[in-house]
Amino acid sequence: MIIETINLTKRYDDLIALDNLELNIEDGECFGYIGPNGAGKTTTIKILATLLQPTWGEARVCGHVVGYESRKIRPLIGYVPDFFGAYEDMVVQEYLEFFASAYNITGKERTRVVGDVLELTDLVYKQDALVDGLSRGMQQRLSVARVLLHDPKVLLLDEPASGLDPRARIEIRELLKELRRMGKTIIISSHILHELAELCTTVGIIEKGKLLFHGPLEDIIRRARVASKLHVKVTEQQDLAALLLEKLPEVKNVTQENSQLTVELTGQTHDFSAIANALLKNNFKIRELREEEVNLETAFMRLTKGIVS
Amino acid sequence: MSTILTRLASWLWLLIPANPILVRVVNSMSQRNRHLYLRFCYLAILATVVTVLLLSSGSAAGLSLSVLAKRASQTFMWASITQLALMCFLSPVFTAGAITQEKDAQTYNILISTPLSNAQIVIGSLLSRLYFVIVLLLAGLPVFLTTMVYGGVTTGQIIRSFAIAGSTAAITGSLAITVSMIRVGTRRTIFSFFLGIAAYLLLVYALAQMDATWVSEAPANPGRTQRLSWLAPFHPFLALDVALNRIKAPDITAVASYGPIGKYLAAYPAGTYILTTLSCSVLLTMLSMFFVRRCTKLGEQSLLGRLKPAFRKRNNQRKTRKPHQVWANPVAWREAVTRASATSRGMGRYLVIGCGLIGALWLLVYYLKGWAGFNPSETRTWLAVIIAIEFALVLIIATNTAASSLTKEKESKTMDLLLATPLSSSYLIWGKLRGLVSFVLPLIAVPVISLLIFGITDEIRRPAERAVYWETGMEIGSLMIIFSAYACMLGLHFSLKQRRTVKAVLLAVAVLIGANTAIFLFWNMIVEGASVLGPALAAATPFTSIQYMIDPSSIVESQAAYLQKIGSLRLSAFIGSAIFITLHAIVVFSWYKAMVRSFDMIIRKQSGL
């Protein structure tokens, strides 16, 4: 277990930012951390980055306890905050060399590492540019470059795609996919859920400091599918088709929306032959019959609204 | 007619008593403890000055009324000077906030999109800032009234003294508001604002000491060589000197030949100072009203940019440069190199270095040629004054840079990035301290080089009496480094404790000025009476060391005694500087260790969502 939190609690006076958080992340995992604003994502990441001390409980990174062994943790992590910390009058290469020195990478090794990272993040042509004059996308790419300097085991990325235009988002996503292929453990918090779905192997949903769900992406989608829903389109006599389907024992409810019937089934099944047979027997011509798609966004909405637990 | 009057009354009502900006600032800031403490301190200082002066002159029993009146008059004089000095310091402190307040709160664009008129915005901002200064002035009034009990102080004098202090506050406030309306203020703007005011006060006061600026018709003043300067109507302290009758102004008939304006400037400098500053305040306020919705704010072109498009364009396009070599200690490198290379800061440094070296060479030429009566003694005095000014600048620059060092990291949120690296707090603070001292080293080199030039020149010439000895440069240089380290630690201390740069810089610079003034006044008394031990003791504080190690002749009885004891004085200076450098180094190191211990706790306490 590369990241482990046990009853992790953080209080800011009366506000409970984290409430007995139990989180386990395996080596090489790409963990998507989702939650509404103020749910406790940044607090968790800041604790793991050794920037905050837990009020109660314990957080371990690579087996080291945050707060007690923070010095051992820092060389093992790379932290990208939800803002870009720009130094005035510093150019890209200096910025990277500055942080490389902070990680005790010196001499020729530093020059080599900075060169490699600039190449990996495609920032070579920007090495003489002042960092505070870079675009948001470039700054974010530079942030990622910064955390790669010391080749950390764990990357803690807090909203890396926020405020980026679509092209910059895609570029960052591709860069993160490359890092995942390199075997890095990545913890990434984001509001752009479909991107997380593409990138992450496991997901955690947090709300009001409590972890509502934690597990593989497929699990959350399976869990969010409370009951099967079908979308049915018939060529004519939609009202009669609705009346027919309502009488079937497998059907719980039928609603009509425009030219489509939404059929809610009583149980979870992927066998819709009974529905199709009933319609065909009564001479309805089926134009479309498909199961409702459950994605990460739907799952997130259902879990955070308490529709599923 | 009644409609016009009603509209005028309504306009005035909305302009001042019901001005939302004024009401908001007065309401919210009146409740702050900080202002309460400031008022308390202000009154405490004034009351202390008055009480000490009244009591120190002994019992009043048996004294004639004229003696009592004279004492009261002396007390009033010092209270007025103290009040004005406090005003000159506090007015910029209270008003400078206006320069960045809208940028900080990012409310400016919202404010100008409301139906508030230009006048409401400007007057509201100005009065809300001046309100606290006016309250301070009024709070001090009872203290001044106590001096009237013994006689010798007239109501007119009190009014004039208050009017000079009030008009100084008004011009400072309107200047700050104008700056805030014309451009988006930054921390650097505030620092330039303070430095500009301090430089103006010092420079004009220094010029007024030169006989070339004196009004030839002005009568002599008992006990003083100085006469009324033409600059008195433009300087608060010079104007106050006239208002307090310390400097006499000529009769208007004697200066009638200077024309309608000149004669009033010469005959009524205090009155013209009040009139000039208030008129300038009104002009600046009107200028602000003109600029408030027209000129530069975030993302818009500045006034300078409009006037000099070619210059501005070139400056804006500076988005790349060749990278510097990063040191093994990145934090020290950041402080010493990249912050120093920021355009305006770099230019400021070169300006100080250039002016310092030109001043030293100018003095050397005068000394070598013996122009204007520049003998070794006179040269030493001038050298000490120039070096004291240079070192005061070094200390202010060091404190200001150090005070913004950690707060800037907090504001730009780079502190989190540093804390997530393996850099320890001791490494971080040591890096900052080392970088900051490296940053001021070229500035310290100027006085050291100046002293060495004089020392080496005299070593080659070997005159009977030397201006300075070569080792003085080394001693002063070593002491300056350690005192600069002190200033950096002071700045870092406030930078660590405060979240905002402006507050950290203001507090650090205020403590620096206050502490140095107090220490100098106290230690000066001890050193003055210490004879041969004087140079050794002088090494304990920055400005006594400059005064008495460069010019030790002032602590011995006579010029002949100085020449006789010069060997002992040099030895004393050497031993003293060695002892105090060691002692100060221990104190700086202990301070550094204490800061390292509290660093994590303070930073983590400040951190949070």
Side-chain angles (χ1 to χ4, degrees), chain A residues 12 15 17 40 42-43 46 49-53 70-71 74-75 77 79-81 83-91 93-95 97-99 101-103 106 110 127-131 133 146, chain B residues 188 318-331 333-334 337-339 341-343 345 408-409 412-427 600 604 607-609:
Chain A
Y12 297 104
L15 176 82
T42 300
T43 303
K46 275 191 161 184
T50 72
L51 297 173
L52 288 178
Q53 296 264 28
S70 295
R71 283 189 190 181
R74 284 172 194 146
I77 57 159
Y79 168 59
V80 176
F83 50 82
F84 179 74
Y87 281 112
E88 184 191 19
D89 207 64
M90 203 186 257
V91 298
Q93 187 167 336
E94 286 172 354
Y95 185 81
E97 289 200 4
F98 174 84
F99 281 102
S101 288
Y103 284 100
T106 52
R110 190 172 75 192
Q127 60 185 352
D128 293 346
L130 289 165
V131 288
R146 174 178 56 78
Chain B
R188 205 169 288 165
R318 189 180 167 264
K319 286 184 175 168
T320 60
R321 66 161 170 77
K322 282 282 159 214
H324 298 294
Q325 179 66 39
V326 180
W327 299 353
N329 185 325
V331 182
W333 169 81
R334 160 82 189 131
V337 180
T338 61
R339 290 189 79 190
S341 72
T343 321
R345 203 181 290 267
K408 271 201 163 181
E409 301 263 18
S412 63
K413 297 184 176 176
T414 46
M415 179 59 83
D416 277 4
L417 304 184
L418 283 181
L419 292 176
T421 67
L423 296 179
S424 62
S425 49
S426 59
Y427 189 92
D600 278 342
R604 290 187 201 288
S607 156
L609 288 173

Side-chain angles (χ1 to χ4, degrees), chain B residues 193-389:
Chain B
F193 178 70
F194 282 128
L195 209 61
I197 290 173
Y200 174 82
L201 290 174
L202 285 173
L203 194 72
V204 175
Y205 197 83
L207 286 173
Q209 311 305 310
M210 296 167 73
D211 48 8
T213 68
W214 294 351
V215 179
S216 49
E217 291 79 4
N221 302 291
R224 299 182 76 164
T225 51
Q226 194 196 344
R227 291 195 186 194
L228 177 74
S229 166
W230 280 107
L231 298 167
F234 308 103
H235 192 280
F237 286 95
L238 297 173
L240 187 68
D241 275 347
V242 179
L244 296 170
N245 285 328
R246 294 177 80 205
I247 300 281
K248 288 197 173 83
D251 191 78
I252 193 155
T253 50
V255 286
S257 58
Y258 291 116
I261 297 173
K263 68 179 180 186
Y264 282 105
L265 288 175
Y268 307 112
T272 43
Y273 171 78
I274 296 164
L275 196 69
T276 319
T277 45
L278 290 179
S279 310
C280 285
S281 303
V282 172
L283 275 175
L284 286 171
T285 309
M286 285 166 71
L287 192 73
S288 306
M289 286 180 201
F290 175 77
F291 278 120
V292 66
R293 277 190 166 92
R294 283 182 181 82
C295 207
T296 179
K297 281 290 160 185
L298 274 176
E300 291 180 27
Q301 205 179 18
S302 73
L303 185 63
L304 189 70
R306 285 167 204 226
L307 297 173
K308 295 179 180 176
F311 166 77
R312 197 66 190 172
K313 201 174 169 187
R314 196 163 58 243
N315 194 29
N316 278 349
Q317 280 175 346
R318 189 180 167 264
K319 286 184 175 168
T320 60
R321 66 161 170 77
K322 282 282 159 214
H324 298 294
Q325 179 66 39
V326 180
W327 299 353
N329 185 325
V331 182
W333 169 81
R334 160 82 189 131
E335 293 302 324
V337 180
T338 61
R339 290 189 79 190
S341 72
T343 321
S344 58
R345 203 181 290 267
M347 277 169 63
R349 283 208 318 170
Y350 289 127
L351 194 72
V352 171
I353 292 170
C355 288
L357 290 175
I358 289 168
L361 291 174
W362 167 78
L363 196 60
L364 183 69
V365 171
Y366 267 66
Y367 169 59
L368 292 176
K369 299 279 182 189
W371 291 344
F374 264 73
N375 54 26
S377 171
E378 185 78 7
T379 307
R380 274 196 298 273
T381 310
W382 275 87
L383 206 52
V385 170
I386 290 176
I387 286 172
I389 293 170

Side-chain angles (χ1 to χ4, degrees), chain A residues 12 25 37 56 143 145 152 161-163 169 173 175 184 192 203-204 255 264 280 287 289 291 301 304:
Chain A
Y12 297 104
I25 298 166
N37 287 334
W56 185 254
S143 280
S162 83
R169 272 213 314 264
R173 192 178 63 205
L175 188 59
K184 306 273 180 213
I192 304 160
V203 174
T255 51
E264 199 178 324
L280 292 172
R287 208 169 67 191
L289 192 150
E291 188 181 10
M301 291 304 287
T304 52

Side-chain angles (χ1 to χ4, degrees), chain A residues 62-273:
Chain A
C62 303
H64 304 296
V65 182
V66 174
Y68 294 96
E69 295 169 295
S70 295
R71 283 189 190 181
K72 288 179 183 169
I73 294 172
R74 284 172 194 146
L76 303 172
I77 57 159
Y79 168 59
V80 176
D82 55 348
F83 50 82
F84 179 74
Y87 281 112
E88 184 191 19
D89 207 64
M90 203 186 257
V91 298
V92 167
Q93 187 167 336
E94 286 172 354
Y95 185 81
L96 293 177
E97 289 200 4
F98 174 84
F99 281 102
S101 288
Y103 284 100
N104 206 21
I105 305 167
T106 52
K108 284 182 183 171
E109 174 70 0
R110 190 172 75 192
T111 316
R112 187 190 62 76
V113 167
V114 169
D116 287 353
V117 166
L118 281 170
E119 217 160 283
L120 179 71
T121 50
D122 200 17
L123 281 170
V124 178
Y125 73 106
K126 285 278 180 191
Q127 60 185 352
D128 293 346
L130 289 165
V131 288
D132 47 1
L134 292 177
S135 68
R136 180 85 177 91
M138 284 293 170
Q139 287 183 339
Q140 206 59 345
R141 221 192 292 179
L142 183 59
S143 280
V144 177
R146 174 178 56 78
V147 295
L148 297 178
L149 289 165
H150 57 296
D151 193 21
K153 277 189 173 179
V154 182
L155 292 177
L156 303 166
L157 315 174
D158 194 1
E159 302 281 357
S162 83
L164 298 187
D165 63 35
R167 176 178 289 275
R169 272 213 314 264
I170 292 164
E171 284 171 357
I172 285 285
R173 192 178 63 205
E174 293 309 311
L175 188 59
L176 295 179
K177 279 183 182 171
E178 181 60 32
L179 294 175
R180 196 184 65 185
R181 274 194 289 273
M182 287 162 71
K184 306 273 180 213
T185 305
I186 302 174
I187 298 173
I188 176 169
S189 82
S190 179
H191 289 301
I192 304 160
L193 302 183
H194 66 271
E195 288 195 350
L196 280 188
E198 266 188 59
L199 198 67
C200 299
T201 47
T202 53
V203 174
I205 296 181
I206 185 171
E207 192 177 31
K208 291 178 185 170
K210 283 182 188 288
L211 195 65
L212 301 179
F213 173 83
H214 176 208
L217 199 62
E218 303 79 44
D219 277 6
I220 188 175
I221 289 169
R222 201 180 312 123
R223 227 170 123 179
R225 190 179 284 131
V226 202
S228 289
K229 268 187 186 176
L230 282 179
H231 294 294
V232 180
K233 282 183 182 173
V234 289
T235 50
E236 52 194 19
Q237 294 177 310
Q238 191 173 279
D239 298 346
L240 288 175
L243 283 171
L244 171 74
L245 293 176
E246 268 176 3
K247 287 172 187 164
L248 295 176
E250 296 90 350
V251 175
K252 190 177 172 187
N253 186 29
V254 179
T255 51
Q256 287 191 58
E257 280 173 28
N258 303 323
S259 58
Q260 179 178 275
L261 295 173
T262 304
V263 183
E264 199 178 324
L265 303 181
T266 46
Q268 279 206 25
T269 175
H270 297 287
D271 182 8
F272 310 120
S273 52

Side-chain angles (χ1 to χ4, degrees), chain B residues 380 467 531 535 547-556 562 566 569:
Chain B
R380 274 196 298 273
S531 189
Q547 187 179 341
Y548 296 111
M549 288 173 78
I550 294 174
D551 187 14
S553 61
S554 53
I555 18 180
V556 286
Y562 165 68
I566 187 68
L569 290 166

